[in-house]
Amino acid sequence: MIVTDHQPHRVSVAVYGEFTLADYKEFEELVNFKVKFEGPVDLLFDLREMADFTLDVAWEELKFSRTHANDFNRIAVVTDSQWLTWAAWLSQIFVNAEMQIFSDADEAAGWLGAAA
């Protein structure tokens, strides 16, 4: 399950439990809308409560990252997982955005706000 929020030029997503393809599609639709009407956006992913993700989500993330390589300014990922940290850095290969990993959501939001 995901919870999304958006402000001007920012999309925030918190994942709880399993991150499914339906969740990812919801995220994609929101980002596509924001990018279409506002241009590049910042992303805030809070993955601290994510238990797992499905293989089709990983594949969709790869396709999405390649399609939207220039649609993000900054990406903040909040996680305590070394595996998710590694995966986030790997995905940066496909996206032309500044990315930082945080263990604290307030620090992540502050870093994104500093760019505004």
Side-chain angles (χ1 to χ4, degrees), residues 31-32 35 40-41 43 61-75 91-98:
V31 168
N32 287 334
V35 167
V41 297
L43 296 179
E61 163 62 19
L62 179 64
K63 294 187 317 185
F64 182 79
S65 295
R66 293 182 69 204
T67 302
H68 294 278
N70 298 306
D71 291 337
F72 306 109
N73 295 313
R74 284 183 155 191
I75 302 171
S91 71
Q92 190 175 15
I93 294 170
F94 303 108
V95 179
N96 297 322
E98 187 177 359

Side-chain angles (χ1 to χ4, degrees), residues 11 27-36 43 64 72:
V11 173
F27 159 73
E28 281 183 311
E29 288 177 18
L30 178 56
V31 168
N32 287 334
F33 178 83
K34 296 289 282 183
V35 167
K36 181 177 180 177
L43 296 179
F64 182 79
F72 306 109

